[in-house]
Amino acid sequence: MIDGRSNELPDFQVFQTVIKYCLIIIIVPIFCFFSVKSFIFDGLLNLHPMNSSVYSAVVAVIVLHVTLGLYIYKAYNESEKSPKPVKKD
């Protein structure tokens, strides 16, 4: 590979990982909020709309923290697995 482009692939992979987790962090809690609100709290439990919204927000915040924790875990483990640069004499 060309020396100028040798670092481009890992940077692109890092960019892909960050974009993927950003989308997960944004979309999954919103999806959980509306699905849990409509199917569980409004549908099965027949709660008052204000109560179901509050409980759904709590579920969305918990899911958000789990996804953030997974991102931090993955970032921490990738930094440990990255190969050490070898010094050439």
Side-chain angles (χ1 to χ4, degrees):
M1 291 184 95
I2 300 172
D3 289 334
R5 296 190 182 252
S6 64
N7 292 332
E8 198 168 307
L9 183 61
D11 291 340
F12 184 68
Q13 289 175 346
V14 169
F15 179 73
Q16 279 184 326
T17 303
V18 169
I19 291 297
K20 180 176 69 172
Y21 274 98
C22 284
L23 291 175
I24 289 171
I25 287 168
I26 292 170
I27 293 171
V28 171
I30 293 171
F31 176 76
C32 285
F33 174 84
F34 288 110
S35 61
V36 167
K37 180 177 178 2
S38 64
F39 294 123
I40 295 177
F41 294 128
D42 286 341
L44 292 175
L45 300 175
N46 293 326
L47 294 178
H48 187 269
M50 181 62 78
N51 290 339
S52 67
S53 295
V54 170
Y55 295 144
S56 298
V58 169
V59 169
V61 167
I62 291 170
V63 169
L64 173 67
H65 281 85
V66 168
T67 56
L68 284 171
L70 289 174
Y71 174 71
I72 293 169
Y73 178 76
K74 181 169 176 63
Y76 181 74
N77 282 340
E78 278 186 0
S79 67
E80 284 184 351
K81 290 180 182 177
S82 64
K84 304 280 185 193
V86 178
K87 289 186 178 181
K88 294 182 180 179
D89 294 329

